[in-house]
Amino acid sequence: MSTDPKASAASAVSTDNASGSNFLRGLIESDLASGKYQQRTDILGRPLPAVITRFPPEPNGYLHIGHAKAICVDFGLARDFGGRCHMRFDDTNPTKEEQEYVDTILDSVKWLGFDWKDESGEHLYFASDYFGKFYEIAEYLITAGHAYVDSQSAEDMAKNRGNFGEPGKNSPFRDRPAQESLDLFRRMKAGEFKDGEHILRARIDMASPNMNLRDPAIYRIRHAHHHRTGDKWCIYPMYDFAHPLEDAIESVSHSFCTLEFQDHRPFYDWVLERAAEGGFFKRPLPEQTEFARLNLTYAITSKRKLRQLIDESIVDGWDDPRMPTIVGLRRRGYTPESIQLFCERVGVAKADSWIDMSTLEGALRDDLDAKAPRATAVLKPLKLIIDNFPDNLVDECSAPVHPHHPERGQRHFPITKELWIEADDFMEVPSKGYFRLFPGNKVRLRYGYVVECTACDKDDNGNVVAVHCNYFPDSKSGTDGANNYKVKGNIHWVSATHALEAEVRLYDRLFTDAHPDAGGKDFMAALNPAAKEVITAYLEHGMRAALPDDKFQFERHGYFVADRVDSQPGKPVFNRVVTLKDSWGK
């Protein structure tokens, strides 16, 4: 990275991730105090906001948790400072971009709680909207002596570019007359040449220590169908050329990028300065500022590697609940509020760092704890038979929908002679400190009666298949008699007759290594074999009414969501969102 006074000043504002700080706020506040962008108007003479940001993904894949941070930064800061954020697609590479990705990106941004509309209209843009303007500016750069058509092979261009310890060499076509380059460029546009036969380059400095200033390419030939412009164009601008021009066309004030673009900023500024000199834009021009990208442990965000997981059937698609994609997180059961809370907590810093997955999971727990209604679920079922319970009696028990919100009312469920309990809640020979069911011990059936364990049934292999007990009719929770029984154990249960039998998917982290692809490691070797376990569970009968995306706390087990894809009316399928406590802590 190059030494950068602006970066140093920005870092001085604050780089403390742990405190959830955001140095970009300080930069915006400084610009507002100076009035830097206050006097701008649009082409109709209407005042522009002093803060205009943009979120500019390329529509070549599904967004992931790192993009979620960028969304929260770009849209969140614009909102907080009374500005606006543009939703813009950098669709300058037709071979990798599809409408499918446009649609899922728009849906993800909206799901996260952000919008690109304000009182002035809808601010949804595409780089392809500006292809004509890009071309016009490129022609100007050629005539002004700032660009030339290079006819070297790709191999020669790469060889002559030099490296970090060796300056580049001028192309033999660098001093080609402007009129000749202009003619060739127009013929490139007309489709006279094959891909790679010519390329348009900026004329800057082949000896620059910044490799990005060594006559970077700004237009290449690509005979490919574009998902929006069709076959109208066969030359396409490079991202580093198009991006600053898009910002200027849209009157963006603050262009926020991740740190890998820091060394690209001098070219960003060069493009805007040359275009302003040509009369295309008025000052003040947009300014790019970089911040640290989100590096999350126990996850990978490389599109290529995520695609490999799909292609090799390690996961079930982009929305698999184990994936770090926004659609995957959504299907897993993450909420927009939890992701926004997470992004707020990690803050925005200038220096790269790693954020532990537990921070994301903690934000989710904190959000769901206050929202999620409670329910009872038995995940490892073992039959409990209350021998002295009347055969046909169906007694009603009740529990709060949410223990901290009595106004949300009660949920009701039956207790019967045969119940399902957790297999872990019985031990024939108890270990020290075990207070649940074992022969001769009393426990309370949560929200129900006190029972005393009497015996158990085993199969031919010696496995316990059922537990027997007797209940005390005067011990029901909520009655006066309940106070007469003091027991240490309190176990969960559901009626075997009335329970909902449901598929439950127990999801966990996809990798066992905190940095699965660091240092050239084979990330596939770090796959967690326990990342998905599918079981048949028994839930309290009211869960039949669960709708896709409904979230619950299964008491004792964690937070679960009715799968938004596979759930059917009256037959929900549940995903574990997160456990009640961090089981990965050291």
Side-chain angles (χ1 to χ4, degrees):
M1 291 292 182
S2 58
T3 302
D4 181 1
K6 178 180 176 181
S8 299
S11 299
V13 176
S14 177
T15 58
D16 183 5
N17 262 10
S19 67
S21 58
N22 185 338
F23 77 93
L24 298 177
R25 290 184 179 277
L27 296 180
I28 294 176
E29 289 168 353
S30 177
D31 287 342
L32 291 175
S34 69
K36 185 173 185 177
Y37 294 105
Q38 258 87 335
Q39 304 304 316
R40 302 182 305 159
T41 59
D42 63 17
I43 57 174
L44 299 177
R46 297 174 300 187
L48 286 167
V51 176
I52 299 180
T53 62
R54 83 290 169 271
F55 174 62
E58 182 182 359
N60 65 351
Y62 285 73
L63 300 183
H64 53 65
I65 185 64
H67 294 113
K69 177 182 176 182
I71 291 169
C72 291
V73 168
D74 292 324
F75 281 94
L77 287 173
R79 174 200 61 203
D80 294 347
F81 286 96
R84 72 182 185 219
C85 181
H86 293 179
M87 180 70 233
R88 182 213 299 152
F89 289 95
D90 272 316
D91 56 343
T92 58
N93 188 354
T95 62
K96 295 184 178 180
E97 298 158 357
E98 299 177 19
Q99 185 62 40
E100 172 193 353
Y101 300 133
V102 172
D103 295 340
T104 186
I105 289 170
L106 292 176
D107 184 62
S108 292
V109 173
K110 284 188 175 180
W111 176 75
L112 278 172
F114 298 105
D115 200 355
W116 43 89
K117 295 179 182 178
D118 65 10
E119 64 279 359
S120 63
E122 182 176 65
H123 297 283
L124 172 62
Y125 303 105
F126 294 81
S128 53
D129 293 337
Y130 314 132
F131 281 171
K133 178 63 70 174
F134 297 158
Y135 180 82
E136 182 184 356
I137 294 173
E139 282 206 348
Y140 161 75
L141 293 178
I142 295 172
T143 58
H146 298 308
Y148 62 97
V149 171
D150 194 350
S151 304
Q152 294 182 93
S153 67
E155 293 78 12
D156 286 343
M157 281 186 61
K159 181 176 63 176
N160 291 332
R161 191 164 181 249
N163 53 49
F164 288 108
E166 178 185 352
K169 298 177 182 177
N170 287 348
S171 165
F173 303 98
R174 194 173 195 267
D175 295 325
R176 178 174 256 161
Q179 196 57 43
E180 182 181 336
S181 282
L182 188 61
D183 176 64
L184 284 169
F185 187 52
R186 289 171 176 172
R187 292 167 62 193
M188 288 165 59
K189 177 178 179 289
E192 292 187 25
F193 305 113
K194 298 177 182 178
D195 289 7
E197 198 168 347
H198 301 287
I199 195 165
L200 183 65
R201 300 177 71 179
R203 182 184 282 106
I204 305 179
D205 181 5
M206 289 300 294
S208 173
N210 186 333
M211 299 286 287
N212 297 288
L213 296 180
R214 294 185 184 180
D215 290 10
I218 58 178
Y219 258 96
R220 80 285 210 196
I221 302 170
R222 185 151 292 174
H223 293 274
H225 185 82
H226 191 281
H227 72 100
R228 295 188 75 244
T229 61
D231 299 318
K232 180 179 179 180
W233 295 88
C234 62
I235 58 170
Y236 292 92
M238 304 298 289
Y239 173 84
D240 277 356
F241 177 66
H243 183 226
L245 297 180
E246 295 162 33
D247 285 347
I249 291 168
E250 296 174 19
S251 299
V252 167
S253 58
H254 299 83
S255 183
F256 299 133
C257 302
T258 45
L259 276 178
E260 62 263 35
F261 291 99
Q262 181 168 301
D263 284 346
H264 297 243
R265 190 192 330 134
F267 183 55
Y268 178 99
D269 294 338
W270 183 92
V271 170
L272 291 183
E273 287 294 334
R274 301 294 83 75
E277 290 167 3
F280 290 97
F281 306 117
K282 296 179 180 179
R283 302 178 190 278
L285 298 170
E287 288 196 3
Q288 177 179 303
T289 305
E290 305 81 22
F291 63 94
R293 66 181 296 170
L294 177 63
N295 297 307
L296 190 66
T297 61
Y298 298 97
I300 58 172
T301 54
S302 160
K303 290 177 184 176
R304 177 182 61 82
K305 294 174 182 177
L306 293 176
R307 168 64 73 180
Q308 183 179 345
L309 292 173
I310 296 171
D311 291 344
E312 297 187 17
S313 299
I314 303 300
V315 298
D316 300 323
W318 290 103
D319 68 342
D320 186 293
R322 292 165 289 181
M323 291 280 270
T325 54
I326 294 180
V327 290
L329 293 169
R330 181 179 182 180
R331 188 173 177 187
R332 175 72 171 262
Y334 277 78
T335 62
E337 295 82 4
S338 67
I339 295 176
Q340 288 192 45
L341 177 61
F342 165 70
C343 292
E344 180 181 336
R345 285 178 175 176
V346 301
V348 180
K350 195 65 179 178
D352 276 329
S353 62
W354 284 92
I355 304 299
D356 195 82
M357 177 69 79
S358 62
T359 306
L360 175 61
E361 294 170 340
L364 178 61
R365 291 188 188 95
D366 289 346
D367 183 57
L368 289 179
D369 180 58
K371 296 177 178 177
R374 278 28 176 184
T376 302
V378 174
L379 305 187
K380 297 178 181 178
L382 174 64
K383 184 67 67 68
L384 177 67
I385 302 170
I386 309 176
D387 292 319
N388 65 334
F389 200 90
D391 290 346
N392 298 319
L393 178 62
V394 179
D395 195 5
E396 185 178 86
C397 297
S398 61
V401 171
H402 196 292
H404 306 306
H405 296 281
E407 72 280 3
R408 297 177 65 174
Q410 298 281 307
R411 62 189 206 269
H412 304 279
F413 42 87
I415 186 169
T416 52
K417 186 180 185 72
E418 294 192 359
L419 309 175
W420 292 113
I421 63 170
E422 291 289 346
D424 294 342
D425 287 345
F426 173 77
M427 293 183 71
E428 188 175 12
V429 180
S431 58
K432 184 178 180 180
Y434 187 82
F435 299 118
R436 284 167 275 175
L437 282 172
F438 56 85
N441 193 45
K442 297 184 181 69
V443 301
R444 177 171 292 282
L445 300 176
R446 188 169 170 84
Y447 309 121
Y449 295 93
V450 171
V451 297
E452 182 176 9
C453 183
T454 56
C456 65
D457 299 331
K458 298 181 181 180
D459 62 16
D460 293 340
N461 296 318
N463 299 311
V464 175
V465 294
V467 177
H468 291 266
C469 67
N470 289 319
Y471 87 118
F472 298 91
D474 62 342
S475 65
K476 188 176 183 181
S477 294
T479 66
D480 292 339
N483 296 324
N484 297 326
Y485 295 84
K486 304 299 180 182
V487 295
K488 293 183 177 181
N490 194 322
I491 68 172
H492 292 72
W493 57 273
V494 292
S495 166
T497 308
H498 300 83
L500 169 67
E501 181 180 305
E503 178 180 319
V504 173
R505 300 160 181 171
L506 302 176
Y507 288 109
D508 205 343
R509 298 178 186 179
L510 187 55
F511 298 101
T512 57
D513 188 330
H515 307 287
D517 59 350
K521 289 186 290 188
D522 177 11
F523 69 98
M524 300 290 271
L527 287 168
N528 179 10
K532 178 183 179 181
E533 180 185 359
V534 181
I535 63 173
T536 298
Y538 293 93
L539 319 179
E540 63 180 72
H541 75 297
M543 298 302 290
R544 285 184 175 84
L547 300 175
D549 279 333
D550 281 353
K551 299 170 184 66
F552 303 87
Q553 184 195 103
F554 289 177
E555 294 176 333
R556 174 176 174 179
H557 296 300
Y559 295 96
F560 291 74
V561 62
D563 188 87
R564 64 193 316 267
V565 176
D566 295 331
S567 293
Q568 301 294 326
K571 193 177 180 181
V573 174
F574 287 93
N575 302 329
R576 182 170 65 190
V577 188
V578 68
T579 54
L580 289 178
K581 295 182 179 180
D582 179 16
S583 60
W584 288 75
K586 294 181 180 180

